[in-house]
């Protein structure tokens, strides 16, 4: 089976082309340059299936729909389900869970089959919790590193764009204070979620899975065991496309 998996995020689109589960191509493009996909995709063999996680706006979705028209195939724009690929969705309205978060949870569960903290660091930072039974217990969304930097700049006119700052435990100038505060807040939300899980569930999470384009800034400051899995959403999309209902 040839599968085109597309992770359409708020700022970037990532895609992978698989043959029988083996990755043949992998790339990403800014949402401002989606037109460049045509030259890449027209070189691909026609996929048997196209599976898409889309969390960006309607304009991006319309552009993608036009690009998919180069093949005579209907894309699968996934939505979170009450249960799929071994994961049980505990959201009050399961369909409201972002498709990217759902695909990432499916990928993490099918890799570890154990309690997981699934963290994706991009335009937003999502922190989602899987129980040892494969139940998505819930999660949180906070602004990611880049978004927080731009927000501070907009609110205070203090720029963090010239690399004139660094992380300090006790910062002694304003730009270091802002940047260090951003790092501490984002890392703190991850570590606090880990502690609260143990308090509420009575056992520890063994696996913290981190993905997303903004993770590099946070990793040196995370004081817990973690594993980085690039393109976690794409891996989950492949599982969904393969329809491996493994309970």
């Amino acid at each position: 089976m040839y599968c085109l998996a597309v992770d359409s995020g708020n700022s970037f689109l990532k895609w992978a082309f698989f043959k029988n589960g083996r990755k043949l191509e992998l790339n990403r493009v800014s949402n401002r340059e989606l037109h460049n996909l045509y030259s890449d995709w027209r070189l691909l063999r026609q996929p048997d299936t196209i599976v898409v996680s889309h969390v960006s706006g309607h304009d991006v979705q319309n552009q993608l729909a036009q690009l998919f028209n180069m093949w005579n195939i209907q894309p699968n724009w996934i939505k979170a389900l009450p249960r799929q690929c071994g994961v049980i969705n505990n959201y009050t309205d399961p369909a409201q869970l972002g498709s990217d978060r759902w695909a990432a949870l499916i990928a993490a569960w099918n890799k570890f089959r154990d309690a997981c903290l699934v963290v994706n660091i991009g335009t937003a930072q999502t922190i989602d919790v899987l129980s040892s039974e494969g139940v998505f217990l819930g999660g949180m969304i906070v602004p990611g590193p880049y978004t927080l930097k731009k927000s501070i700049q907009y609110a205070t006119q203090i720029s963090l764009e010239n690399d004139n700052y660094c992380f300090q435990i006790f910062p002694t100038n304003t730009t270091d204070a802002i940047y260090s505060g951003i790092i501490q807040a984002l890392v703190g939300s991850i570590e606090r979620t880990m502690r609260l899980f143990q308090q509420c569930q009575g056992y520890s999470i063994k696996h913290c899975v981190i993905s997303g384009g903004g993770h590099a800034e946070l990793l040196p400051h995370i004081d817990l065991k973690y594993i980085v899995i690039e393109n976690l959403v794409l891996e989950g999309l492949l599982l969904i496309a393969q329809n491996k209902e493994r309970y």
Side-chain angles (χ1 to χ4, degrees):
M1 179 186 74
Y2 289 88
C3 173
L4 175 64
V6 177
D7 174 15
S8 174
N10 291 299
S11 301
F12 289 91
L13 180 145
K14 299 178 183 179
W15 64 273
F17 191 65
F18 297 91
K19 177 184 179 182
N20 298 328
R22 182 169 62 90
K23 193 180 300 171
L24 301 179
E25 300 280 348
L26 174 68
N27 215 328
R28 80 169 193 165
V29 63
S30 165
N31 285 354
R32 297 186 299 272
E33 299 177 330
L34 293 181
H35 57 275
N36 291 334
L37 289 172
Y38 179 80
S39 58
D40 291 333
W41 286 357
R42 69 185 180 86
L43 299 177
L44 300 177
R45 180 192 188 279
Q46 175 163 318
D48 299 300
T49 184
I50 300 172
V51 59
V52 189
S53 165
H54 176 75
V55 298
S56 190
H58 291 298
D59 289 344
V60 171
Q61 185 172 13
N62 290 337
Q63 290 182 67
L64 283 177
Q66 293 176 10
L67 285 164
F68 294 145
N69 284 336
M70 74 175 71
W71 299 296
N72 186 25
I73 184 171
Q74 186 68 30
N76 176 16
W77 303 83
I78 74 158
K79 294 185 180 298
L81 300 177
R83 180 169 181 157
Q84 189 175 31
C85 297
V87 180
I88 299 170
N89 188 346
N90 200 38
Y91 240 37
T92 304
D93 179 357
Q96 282 192 344
L97 177 65
S99 58
D100 54 344
R101 295 168 67 191
W102 182 238
L105 286 162
I106 285 173
W109 173 253
N110 281 269
K111 182 173 181 64
F112 296 107
R113 297 300 184 90
D114 204 347
C116 294
L117 199 67
V118 182
V119 183
N120 191 284
I121 305 168
T123 303
Q125 174 173 294
T126 59
I127 307 170
D128 293 322
V129 180
L130 274 172
S131 77
S132 58
E133 292 80 30
V135 178
F136 166 53
L137 298 177
M140 68 178 72
I141 305 172
V142 296
Y146 175 79
T147 306
L148 284 174
K149 291 175 189 176
K150 298 302 289 186
S151 176
I152 290 290
Q153 180 176 341
Y154 177 80
T156 66
Q157 286 73 57
I158 299 174
S159 175
L160 296 181
E161 293 183 348
N162 298 321
D163 294 331
N164 58 338
Y165 55 86
C166 64
F167 176 84
Q168 299 287 341
I169 296 176
F170 301 111
T172 55
N173 64 70
T174 301
T175 52
D176 286 357
I178 292 172
Y179 181 68
S180 301
I182 289 171
I183 297 298
Q184 296 281 37
L186 294 176
V187 171
S189 64
I190 297 170
E191 295 178 350
R192 178 174 169 81
T193 302
M194 187 75 84
R195 292 195 301 271
L196 289 174
F197 178 92
Q198 184 170 5
Q199 292 174 19
C200 295
Q201 300 298 314
Y203 61 94
S204 299
I205 292 178
K206 296 179 182 178
H207 308 283
C208 177
V209 184
I210 297 179
S211 187
H215 68 262
E217 287 186 274
L218 269 61
L219 295 185
H221 311 288
I222 297 176
D223 189 23
L224 53 86
K225 186 177 179 180
Y226 61 82
I227 180 172
V228 175
I229 301 180
E230 302 287 355
N231 306 305
L232 191 65
V233 173
L234 293 174
E235 298 295 335
L237 290 174
L238 176 63
L239 287 166
I240 292 170
Q242 293 171 330
N243 196 28
K244 291 187 176 179
E245 300 293 337
R246 296 178 291 183
Y247 298 106

